[in-house]
Structures are given as structure tokens and as C-alpha cells.
């Protein structure tokens, strides 16, 4: 994805995807709110990892310097996303 929404932290590829994200965010859509929570959690995790690396050069602080990350979505969040075709399209576009 080319762009990142500063409000939600979610990436999107075009104006249509942005409009869907904002519309669903503003309507308090549960699946989008789950993705927003995951994006914010990932951002905080990445920032903490960078801080650890800058302070002691030890990587992400978990003893593994392999760059792996923990799962950020719960099973119920994944089920919500799996049921929603628009969100699956946005996620698919984000990974490109």
C-alpha cells in the first residue's frame, strides 16, 4: 500500500480504500476497530523494539534477534475480518 491513514494507522492503496476505512471507522465498525487496535499495537511494539535497539543494541528485547513478531490479532478479530470482503480486499492491497 502506498499510503497510511494518520488517524487509524492503517495502510491503504487508493482513495476508494481510504473512504471505506474512514466510513467504517466513523461508524464504529468492529472489524475496522480491531484492525486499528492491531495497527496501533504493532506501531507501539515497533517503537519499543527500536528504543531497545538504540539503548543496548540487543534487538527487540525478547532474546530472539531473528526479527520475528508476536501475533497482534486475536482469534475473534481474525474471524470478524474473515467475514468481511471489503476488509480482506484492503488488507490484500496493503500487502502489495
Amino acid at each position: 500500500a502506498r499510503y497510511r491513514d494518520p488517524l487509524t494507522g492503517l495502510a491503504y492503496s487508493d482513495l476508494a480504500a481510504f473512504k471505506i476505512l474512514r466510513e467504517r471507522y466513523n461508524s464504529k465498525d468492529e472489524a475496522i476497530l480491531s484492525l486499528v487496535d492491531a495497527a496501533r499495537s504493532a506501531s507501539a511494539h515497533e517503537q519499543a523494539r527500536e528504543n531497545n535497539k538504540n539503548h543496548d543494541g540487543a534487538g527487540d528485547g525478547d532474546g530472539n534477534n531473528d526479527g520475528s513478531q508476536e501475533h497482534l490479532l486475536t482469534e475473534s478479530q481474525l474471524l470478524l475480518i474473515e467475514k468481511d470482503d471489503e476488509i480482506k480486499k484492503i488488507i490484500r492491497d496493503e500487502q502489495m
Side-chain angles (χ1 to χ4, degrees), residues 78-94:
L78 290 172
L79 289 173
L80 282 171
I81 292 165
E82 182 61 32
K83 294 178 184 178
D84 195 308
D85 290 334
E86 284 183 330
I87 292 177
K88 286 193 290 189
K89 181 186 180 314
I90 291 168
I91 292 171
R92 196 170 35 251
D93 289 345
E94 182 176 322

Side-chain angles (χ1 to χ4, degrees), residues 11-70:
Y12 60 93
S13 59
D14 57 25
L15 183 59
F18 175 75
K19 287 180 178 180
I20 291 168
L21 284 175
R22 282 296 178 96
E23 178 182 292
R24 299 201 51 197
Y25 179 80
N26 290 331
S27 70
K28 306 294 186 216
D29 182 277
E30 200 172 326
I32 287 291
L33 294 177
S34 292
L35 286 174
V36 169
D37 287 344
R40 289 179 180 158
S41 176
S43 177
H45 180 76
E46 181 65 28
Q47 187 174 16
R49 192 169 65 180
E50 283 298 314
N51 287 342
N52 284 341
K53 201 174 357 177
N54 291 337
H55 286 289
D56 61 16
D60 61 7
D62 68 356
N64 285 335
N65 290 329
D66 61 1
S68 64
Q69 291 188 3
E70 62 193 66

